[in-house]
Amino acid sequence: MMSLQIEIYPPVNGNQYVTLDGRLDTLTHESLDARLEPLLAERPQTLVMDLARLEYISSAGVRSILKTRKIMNLFGGRLVVVHPQEQVRRVIELVQAVPPEVVFASTEELDAYLDAVQRQILGQDGDPEAGSRS
């Protein structure tokens, strides 16, 4: 049995980065919820979940992601997912845990999206949805 390691990095320009390593399931989702609670209270502009090392996600893990997304939406924040392994990406897409336009295969894709979001907030041209995949 593998557990879940959660790394939380200091926020950068209103963006909070979290990496998950292991399994997000019935036994581990509560620890993720508990670790995210104080972060969400800070109301980050964007919460970036890096799932490159997440090997498995169950329905309980999906519920944690949906709950996080709902809380972020309440205060106008965004939850984005980057680097999901194929099996995790398919589960997230299947249950529509996050919209496909906020699931990124690479850090470069994510950075371009976050840049466009920030330009839009500052009133400069750029539509964050325009740079996403179709």
Side-chain angles (χ1 to χ4, degrees):
M1 180 183 88
M2 183 172 214
S3 62
L4 178 69
Q5 278 74 48
I6 304 163
E7 287 185 57
I8 298 172
Y9 299 92
V12 177
N13 298 327
N15 301 318
Q16 181 67 59
Y17 291 83
V18 176
T19 62
L20 305 182
D21 184 351
R23 295 174 61 91
L24 182 53
D25 58 22
T26 306
L27 301 175
T28 61
H29 78 280
E30 289 177 347
S31 63
L32 177 63
D33 293 346
R35 295 285 305 275
L36 290 179
E37 190 174 334
L39 296 181
L40 295 171
E42 296 293 320
R43 297 183 165 205
Q45 175 182 311
T46 305
L47 176 62
V48 179
M49 277 194 188
D50 187 334
L51 306 184
R53 296 184 313 229
L54 188 68
E55 297 172 1
Y56 177 84
I57 187 167
S58 73
S59 60
V62 169
R63 279 193 305 276
S64 285
I65 290 176
L66 287 168
K67 177 179 156 187
T68 301
R69 179 177 162 220
K70 182 178 179 182
I71 293 167
M72 292 291 293
N73 287 343
L74 286 175
F75 59 82
R78 296 173 192 254
L79 170 66
V80 298
V81 171
V82 67
H83 302 128
Q85 294 187 33
E86 182 67 15
Q87 70 277 17
V88 172
R89 182 186 61 79
R90 289 212 178 166
V91 169
I92 289 170
E93 287 177 354
L94 179 69
V95 298
Q96 300 176 345
V98 294
E101 64 269 12
V102 293
V103 177
F104 300 93
S106 70
T107 303
E108 292 77 21
E109 269 185 17
L110 172 63
D111 287 345
Y113 175 82
L114 294 176
D115 182 56
V117 167
Q118 291 175 69
R119 282 195 318 268
Q120 187 177 42
I121 289 169
L122 295 172
Q124 300 169 357
D125 64 308
D127 177 3
E129 306 304 328
S132 65
R133 295 158 319 286
S134 353

